[in-house]
Amino acid sequence: MSLPPEKASELKQLIHQQLSKMDVHGRIREILAETIREELAPDQQQLSTEDLIKALRRRGIIDDVMKELNFVTDSVDQELPSSPKQPVCFTDRQSTLLKKTNIDPTRRYLYLQVLGGKAFLEHLQEPEPLPGQVCSTFTLCLHFRNQRFRSKPVPCACEPDFHDGFLLEVHRESLGDGTRMADSTTMLSISDPVHMVLIKTDIFGETTLVASYFLEWRSVLGSENGVTSLTVELMGVGTESKVSVGILNIKLEMYPPLNQTLSQEVVNTQLALERQKTAEKERLFLVYAKQWWREYLQIRPSHNSRLVKIFAQDENGINRPVCSYIKPLRAGRLLDTPRQAARFVNVLGYERAPVIGGGGKQEQWCTLLAFLCRNKGDCEDHANLLCSLLLGYGLEAFVCVGTKAKGIPHAWVMTCGTDGTVTFWESLTGHRYIHKPVNPDESPVAEQPKPLYPYRTIGCVFNHQMFLGNCQPSDSVEICVFDLNDESKWKPMSEEAIKSVCAPGATTSLPPFPPLCASTIDASVTSNEIEMQLRLLVSEHRKDLGLTTVWEDQLSYLLSPALASYEFERTTSISAGNEEFQDAIRRAVPDGHTFKGFPIHFVYRNARRAFATCLRSPFCEEIICCRGDQVRLAVRVRVFTYPESACAVWIMFACECAS
């Protein structure tokens, strides 16, 4: 492998520095003098190079040099964002900075080190994991200015052993300044925090959101030498947002070092001014929202019972305008179509916010980073993400807040076409429904469109720029008219008022939106692993029933097109390839034999859990427990990967036996 001249000279310089540090030259001179005295015969005039190398090797000099010249080949432990600029992340071991060659010396970086944790009291009694033992782990996820990072998982403990370093690039986005190194004054005006999310993963692979914290990093600008150490107290989420879950020790360092640091007083004054400005904007919006709500109730007193959601609590228990949870989001090369985006959101797991005790649903609208890192969330989280992605594709999209059957609160997405077509998108299933309103004044005998969607009432719709309350006589979805420009049907909020608190950069309290990350799952390897585990589980299950198991590999392979066809249909709503699959099965199954197949779909990769679910279906159990002559079993698994390591797992069990 040839190196460019500048890299070759850099490598030579590094080797020379290391040799000087070890005083190799002095040691070689000593050995040379000793060898000449001891081994040079009187009739010999000089030593050959070979003789000298033998002497050096014999005394261990060459081995010592090779041990010291360790080339760092550790892979970068990070998730790559969809943006072309790749962040750098490296681990700090024994306070030694493992520098990577893709650090640009003309750019400014913030080196953030997490140097252990303490007081995670929930894990006080956690036993020390044995070597090789599977245990629950903590993972720290970071987002800063379109860059995302993930720490290595560490075992859950009262004092978790976090030792990770993250190199965050600090840069200006304004035109013309993108290539200049940011100075102290420039960086002081960058109000984006470092968003840190702590995730716990249990032994079954289930994730839990432990904490979400916004780190104000600019204190380092007023520190001596541009280095500072912080102790960060992490608070819980949801109902536990006032309870401490643990403490992280963090060290911040500017790289390259700052030529000129600011006074701590200047930094504190800037932060205080920003907080004051944000608080004033939020106060004015609250005053406006109260006035808007009074006017809305004056239209019709019954509006008080409608689901008009102006504010929502995030995972930290902070009330934020619902419009701030939406932003046009571009998926780069990771998702190609709006329907593929809907499928991606659909395969992210669904889980209602945990609540202690009874009393109904606990409200918790997660910030996007917390939702993506946990890989699951409530219907509002799914709807907010889908709406953001559809806006990124140039569609006019809104989140709808209303109810399903039995009055259960629900959120879904609506798009309005240029031709007036209104389409509902169910973010939990990926299904799409065309809305055709029923005319309540029509004659009872007249034919009316029958709604196929599960929604019953609608209180409001919103996106990143608009908020509209439903002020039609009835809030029933089936008779609702979605002419959003008609103020007699939809009462709008002032777009300027929304912009003052929800536009990017409007307030420092708004969490920045992270980019999506490509999947780290190898679809083929994962498919094979799950398939082998399922074969083992089926064989053991049949053995317990006193049955033998014979696998038909060719039949298993023939099931692949069907699984691909099912996923294609979920993504595009178009069915294709079924004819070829049926023809292949007819040819493979001998005359006088019966074929049975059972496809099923999951959004997790736990084979044992999937198998237990399959056995609850009488159709699947009939195939797995099939008895008879010449029984041949087949199973095929196909994993389809999506961004954020989300995946759709299709499994098909099949058997053929003599009729």
Side-chain angles (χ1 to χ4, degrees), residues 635-652:
V635 63
R636 192 65 170 172
V637 176
R638 181 73 168 84
V639 174
F640 297 88
T641 58
Y642 288 90
E644 299 297 328
S645 299
C647 60
V649 179
W650 282 97
I651 301 171
M652 189 180 232

Side-chain angles (χ1 to χ4, degrees), residues 247-315:
I247 292 169
L248 291 180
N249 297 319
I250 288 174
K251 183 180 177 184
L252 299 175
E253 184 177 351
M254 297 310 302
Y255 178 83
L258 295 170
N259 297 326
Q260 180 184 4
T261 57
L262 303 170
S263 73
Q264 200 63 54
E265 190 181 352
V266 169
V267 175
N268 293 340
T269 303
Q270 172 70 15
L271 300 182
L273 283 170
E274 286 177 4
R275 284 194 293 269
Q276 187 180 341
K277 190 177 171 185
T278 294
E280 180 61 15
K281 284 184 176 181
E282 289 174 346
R283 186 188 70 80
L284 290 172
F285 182 77
L286 181 61
V287 169
Y288 169 76
K290 285 180 176 178
Q291 177 63 29
W292 183 92
W293 178 244
R294 279 195 295 270
E295 292 171 3
Y296 182 70
L297 292 182
Q298 284 169 8
I299 298 170
R300 204 173 283 109
S302 61
H303 285 179
N304 195 37
S305 62
R306 294 190 180 181
L307 277 175
V308 179
K309 193 85 180 150
I310 302 172
F311 294 93
Q313 281 192 359
D314 65 10
E315 66 265 25

Side-chain angles (χ1 to χ4, degrees), residues 33 57 93 171 197 205 219 222 225 245 258 284 374 377 381 415 462 477:
R57 186 172 281 124
R93 287 284 177 224
H171 55 89
V197 168
S219 58
N225 304 322
V245 293
L258 295 170
L284 290 172
R374 192 168 55 136
D381 303 324
T415 53
F462 65 89
V477 177

Side-chain angles (χ1 to χ4, degrees), residues 34-287:
E34 190 182 323
T35 306
I36 289 171
R37 278 198 310 272
E38 293 176 3
E39 299 181 16
L40 192 61
D43 56 335
Q44 273 186 288
Q45 296 301 313
Q46 60 182 17
L47 273 173
S48 68
T49 309
E50 208 173 301
D51 293 333
L52 180 57
I53 289 174
K54 278 181 185 173
L56 293 173
R57 186 172 281 124
R58 200 164 52 241
R59 285 163 175 77
I61 299 292
I62 291 176
D63 289 341
D64 289 349
V65 171
M66 294 311 292
K67 278 178 191 171
E68 287 293 326
L69 291 176
N70 272 331
F71 296 96
V72 178
T73 55
D74 303 24
S75 61
V76 176
D77 182 18
Q78 67 179 28
E79 291 190 6
L80 299 178
S82 55
S83 59
K85 186 73 186 174
Q86 296 182 0
V88 186
C89 166
F90 48 82
T91 306
D92 189 350
R93 287 284 177 224
Q94 289 84 40
S95 300
T96 302
L97 195 67
L98 304 181
K99 294 180 183 177
K100 303 296 181 181
T101 54
N102 59 341
I103 294 178
D104 185 348
T106 66
R107 308 302 288 269
R108 184 76 70 190
Y109 296 91
L110 172 69
Y111 182 41
L112 186 154
Q113 297 176 74
V114 184
L115 303 173
K118 56 188 177 184
F120 284 79
L121 300 179
E122 193 175 323
H123 302 278
L124 191 60
Q125 305 299 327
E126 203 90 20
E128 190 77 24
L130 299 170
Q133 181 187 357
V134 178
C135 61
S136 299
T137 58
F138 283 138
T139 308
L140 196 62
C141 305
L142 275 72
H143 168 235
F144 178 69
R145 293 178 72 76
N146 229 32
Q147 304 160 79
R148 285 181 59 186
F149 305 85
R150 183 185 289 267
S151 73
K152 290 189 293 297
V154 299
C156 293
C158 183
E159 297 187 356
D161 188 28
F162 285 112
H163 273 91
D164 279 290
F166 308 96
L167 201 64
L168 319 178
E169 185 179 338
V170 185
H171 55 89
R172 287 288 300 274
E173 291 176 342
S174 56
L175 193 63
D177 285 350
T179 56
R180 282 173 52 191
M181 185 182 286
D183 57 18
S184 301
T185 312
T186 302
M187 289 189 287
L188 188 59
S189 67
I190 297 173
S191 59
D192 292 355
V194 179
H195 190 183
M196 306 170 71
V197 168
L198 184 63
I199 300 292
K200 178 183 174 182
T201 308
D202 68 14
I203 57 173
F204 305 108
E206 290 297 309
T207 54
T208 310
L209 177 62
V210 178
S212 173
Y213 184 82
F214 294 95
L215 175 69
E216 178 50 74
W217 58 275
R218 287 175 288 176
S219 58
V220 74
L221 301 176
S223 310
E224 192 177 350
N225 304 322
V227 181
T228 187
S229 295
L230 307 169
T231 302
V232 168
E233 184 179 18
L234 301 178
M235 308 304 281
V237 296
T239 53
E240 299 175 36
S241 59
K242 301 288 186 286
V243 181
S244 174
V245 293
I247 292 169
L248 291 180
N249 297 319
I250 288 174
K251 183 180 177 184
L252 299 175
E253 184 177 351
M254 297 310 302
Y255 178 83
L258 295 170
N259 297 326
Q260 180 184 4
T261 57
L262 303 170
S263 73
Q264 200 63 54
E265 190 181 352
V266 169
V267 175
N268 293 340
T269 303
Q270 172 70 15
L271 300 182
L273 283 170
E274 286 177 4
R275 284 194 293 269
Q276 187 180 341
K277 190 177 171 185
T278 294
E280 180 61 15
K281 284 184 176 181
E282 289 174 346
R283 186 188 70 80
L284 290 172
F285 182 77
L286 181 61
V287 169

Side-chain angles (χ1 to χ4, degrees), residues 494-511:
S494 160
E495 290 189 27
E496 283 302 312
I498 293 169
K499 198 174 176 182
S500 70
V501 288
C502 297
T507 65
T508 53
S509 62
L510 279 184

Side-chain angles (χ1 to χ4, degrees), residues 598 602 604 609-621:
F598 176 80
F602 298 100
Y604 51 80
R609 181 179 163 194
F611 184 65
T613 304
C614 291
L615 283 178
R616 287 201 287 270
S617 164
F619 301 106
C620 188
E621 190 190 24

